[in-house]
Amino acid sequence: MDSLDNFPKDLKEKSGGFIIVDKIEEDKVILLGKSNISNNKSAYENFGGRYEKEDICSLHTGVRELIEEFFNLKVPVDIVNLIALGLRTNNLIIKQHELNGMAYLINFEGLNFIFKNIVDYNKNLIKYNINQQFDYLTYISERIITEKANNGLNEIHRIELFKVKDVKDNKVNLRWYTNKIINLMID
């Protein structure tokens, strides 16, 4: 399972990240994180980061980074492998685009798949598991990080839900990369 052969659409030794977009009623929405890193505290960003030596490919990097930034959690590398492979085999990646690494677009179904595979690694997450569905709205309303960023954790102060239209109309302060990749990947 930990072979690059399982990930022919992904980059080796490159960064990876996720954009999470779906519809609520008639509005296309996006989840973004407000940075907790001092030089970016006023900006929102997608979830991703740099390659680390245990990462098999850019998808693996993206999954690990999303879990660290969105859920503020470290999980074993074999769980990251399992999730990356599951995202591929279950066709949960809607779109991907190469730009300084690889960006992956998923919806709430993809986010729920990731959640279901990590919920057992942090007992605090169990309360957001409602009938095998991730209660992301309650989670993001309660998730606020005040500790300093450290070893990949605490990098996102809070997560917010925005209308894609507002993001594309420049009503949200985005980091350069996040703005560029959103405009390339989201209609």
Side-chain angles (χ1 to χ4, degrees), residues 95-182:
K95 191 186 286 188
Q96 68 185 61
H97 188 84
E98 186 176 347
L99 177 69
N100 302 331
M102 192 69 77
Y104 302 92
L105 178 66
I106 60 172
N107 60 18
F108 295 152
E109 181 183 0
L111 182 62
N112 190 61
F113 175 81
I114 295 166
F115 172 78
K116 287 195 307 193
N117 281 281
I118 65 164
V119 69
D120 294 333
Y121 288 91
N122 183 331
K123 296 201 183 319
N124 294 326
L125 291 176
I126 293 170
K127 69 180 179 179
Y128 304 108
N129 190 5
I130 310 299
N131 300 321
Q132 296 300 304
Q133 290 296 311
F134 177 36
D135 180 4
Y136 65 90
L137 290 174
T138 302
Y139 176 78
I140 65 173
S141 73
E142 294 178 356
R143 183 207 173 279
I144 300 207
I145 303 298
T146 55
E147 295 86 23
K148 237 179 142 170
N150 181 18
N151 192 27
L153 299 179
N154 304 326
E155 291 181 2
I156 300 295
H157 170 63
R158 69 176 182 260
I159 299 167
E160 292 185 45
L161 187 69
F162 296 98
K163 290 181 181 178
V164 169
K165 181 183 182 330
D166 290 343
V167 171
K168 290 196 147 236
D169 288 345
N170 298 314
K171 294 180 180 175
V172 179
N173 183 23
L174 300 176
R175 289 185 65 189
W176 170 87
Y177 177 84
T178 300
N179 186 50
K180 181 87 171 160
I181 203 68
I182 284 171

Side-chain angles (χ1 to χ4, degrees), residues 56-121:
I56 295 168
C57 63
S58 55
L59 178 57
H60 189 280
T61 300
V63 169
R64 178 185 50 74
E65 287 282 345
L66 179 121
I67 293 168
E68 289 174 1
E69 293 179 357
F70 194 97
F71 295 101
N72 211 42
L73 180 65
K74 297 254 187 200
V75 297
V77 71
D78 60 324
I79 297 304
V80 175
N81 293 346
L82 181 75
I83 292 168
L85 191 59
L87 287 169
R88 279 280 179 231
T89 57
N90 293 304
N91 296 313
L92 294 170
I93 297 169
I94 298 164
K95 191 186 286 188
Q96 68 185 61
H97 188 84
E98 186 176 347
L99 177 69
N100 302 331
M102 192 69 77
Y104 302 92
L105 178 66
I106 60 172
N107 60 18
F108 295 152
E109 181 183 0
L111 182 62
N112 190 61
F113 175 81
I114 295 166
F115 172 78
K116 287 195 307 193
N117 281 281
I118 65 164
V119 69
D120 294 333
Y121 288 91

Side-chain angles (χ1 to χ4, degrees), residues 19-75:
I19 299 171
I20 306 163
V21 174
D22 212 321
K23 270 189 150 182
I24 295 179
E25 295 169 9
E26 295 303 311
D27 292 317
K28 193 180 272 192
V29 295
I30 185 168
L31 289 167
L32 296 170
K34 183 145 193 189
S35 182
N36 193 32
I37 298 172
S38 55
N39 60 340
N40 293 324
K41 282 195 176 195
S42 66
Y44 287 88
E45 57 191 283
N46 62 314
F47 306 96
R50 290 190 177 107
Y51 158 83
E52 292 181 3
K53 67 181 184 315
E54 72 271 7
D55 297 337
I56 295 168
C57 63
S58 55
L59 178 57
H60 189 280
T61 300
V63 169
R64 178 185 50 74
E65 287 282 345
L66 179 121
I67 293 168
E68 289 174 1
E69 293 179 357
F70 194 97
F71 295 101
N72 211 42
L73 180 65
K74 297 254 187 200
V75 297

Side-chain angles (χ1 to χ4, degrees), residues 9-25:
K9 298 177 180 175
D10 304 295
L11 304 172
K12 188 171 170 47
E13 298 181 3
K14 298 287 183 182
S15 63
F18 280 88
I19 299 171
I20 306 163
V21 174
D22 212 321
K23 270 189 150 182
I24 295 179
E25 295 169 9

